[in-house]
């Protein structure tokens, strides 16, 4: 399946673009995705935290991803 | 409930008016502004970036959680800026109204504290000699 991942803040700068397209096996989990991205972009592993949002909510490691999900990487937030 | 994310200057007077309620004896607000230094470095300006749809969804959830914890809450107003801000600019305002004051302090603090933990907004500080994404690294 094809996943589109939106990138913000420092993750956008690390990857060098605002979205990332990945082809992954069906049923790929958040944990799988993070492991893959950390391998591809080692600087992601140096962040204080890195969460994944699916359809505007925080996902857990075992959340399964689907092709039509709105997926985003969430580096440490600093609003307010 | 009035939740907004804007690239325009926040009008504090308008925000406070949105929090007014005939059933409220207290309007409590928190205003976050841009400070001129951070960890000893002189700040020139800030850029706030938001994941708009998720930020609005999470802000609504925070406001709903506050309404569950303090059912007497009358109005909840949260407005956050995005884009480029300079020293003294208003970055965020939280305003709530309740019948009595104690709950207004508690609810207002809960909303700003939770916002800072969960809402996907990122602050990049610009100094005279560099930049940092705040909190990105340990």
């Amino acid at each position: 399946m094809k996943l589109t991942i939106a990138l913000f803040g420092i993750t956008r700068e690390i990857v060098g673009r605002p979205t990332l397209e990945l082809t992954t096996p069906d049923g790929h989990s958040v944990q799988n995705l993070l492991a893959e991205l950390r391998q591809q972009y080692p600087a992601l592993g140096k962040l204080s935290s890195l969460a994944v949002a699916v359809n505007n909510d925080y996902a857990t490691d075992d959340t399964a991803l689907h092709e039509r999900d709105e997926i985003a990487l969430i580096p440490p937030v600093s609003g307010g | 409930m009035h939740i907004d994310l804007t690239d325009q200057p926040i009008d504090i007077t308008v925000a406070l008016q949105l929090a007014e309620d005939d059933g409220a004896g207290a309007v409590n607000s928190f205003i976050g502004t841009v400070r001129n230094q951070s960890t000893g470095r002189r700040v020139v300006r800030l850029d706030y970036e938001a994941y708009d749809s998720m930020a609005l969804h999470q802000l609504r959830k925070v406001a709903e959680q506050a309404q569950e914890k303090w059912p007497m809450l009358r109005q909840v107003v949260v407005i956050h800026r995005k884009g480029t801000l300079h020293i003294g600019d208003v970055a965020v305002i939280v305003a709530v109204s309740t019948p009595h004051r104690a709950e207004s302090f508690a609810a207002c603090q809960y909303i700003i504290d939770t916002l800072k933990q969960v809402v996907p907004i990122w602050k990049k500080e610009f100094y005279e000699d560099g930049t940092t994404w705040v909190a990105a690294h340990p």
Side-chain angles (χ1 to χ4, degrees):
Chain A
M1 61 179 177
K2 274 193 183 147
L3 302 179
T4 304
I5 297 133
L7 305 168
F8 297 94
I10 195 165
T11 62
R12 180 174 43 74
E13 289 188 356
I14 288 170
V15 174
R17 49 183 185 272
T19 58
L20 195 56
E21 311 236 319
L22 281 185
T23 305
T24 68
D26 283 355
H28 219 48
S29 70
V30 162
Q31 197 169 21
N32 300 145
L33 175 72
L34 284 174
E36 205 173 310
L37 291 174
R38 285 195 180 109
Q39 197 175 17
Q40 219 175 327
Y41 302 96
L44 293 177
K46 299 201 167 68
L47 300 175
S48 308
S49 68
L50 186 60
V52 171
V54 177
N55 302 325
N56 291 327
D57 272 310
Y58 287 97
T60 55
D61 276 353
D62 56 2
T63 302
L65 301 168
H66 305 95
E67 198 159 272
R68 270 176 291 182
D69 284 338
E70 186 178 318
I71 303 166
L73 286 189
I74 310 292
V77 300
S78 49
Chain B
M1 188 190 298
H2 182 94
I3 306 292
D4 201 10
L5 195 57
T6 177
D7 53 11
Q8 298 300 310
I10 293 172
D11 187 325
I12 295 170
T13 308
V14 170
L16 291 176
Q17 278 166 355
L18 290 167
E20 285 171 6
D21 188 287
D22 286 349
V27 174
N28 199 308
S29 66
F30 170 82
I31 297 166
T33 56
V34 178
R35 200 177 43 222
N36 65 2
Q37 64 85 31
S38 173
T39 54
R41 299 177 84 181
R42 191 171 179 77
V43 174
V44 179
R45 66 177 169 95
L46 295 182
D47 275 5
Y48 277 100
E49 178 175 334
Y51 176 11
D52 290 30
S53 63
M54 181 176 175
L56 289 168
H57 177 66
Q58 296 298 322
L59 282 171
R60 271 184 219 109
K61 277 176 72 168
V62 173
E64 282 164 13
Q65 286 158 11
Q67 281 168 330
E68 279 166 31
K69 287 168 88 78
W70 294 278
M72 72 295 289
L73 262 179
R74 305 297 294 217
Q75 303 295 327
V76 177
V77 178
V78 186
I79 305 171
H80 204 296
R81 262 305 283 283
K82 54 178 186 169
T84 298
L85 276 77
H86 297 93
I87 309 307
D89 284 350
V90 175
V92 61
I93 181 163
V94 177
V96 302
S97 52
T98 54
H100 304 287
R101 73 182 179 284
E103 295 82 6
S104 74
F105 281 104
C108 189
Q109 176 155 19
Y110 173 82
I111 292 169
I112 185 63
D113 288 352
T114 312
L115 177 160
K116 288 175 88 80
Q117 289 165 12
V118 305
V119 177
I121 295 175
W122 298 274
K123 176 163 58 179
K124 188 177 193 177
E125 290 176 342
F126 289 74
Y127 318 107
E128 283 157 334
D129 58 348
T131 64
T132 305
W133 285 102
V134 175
H137 293 104

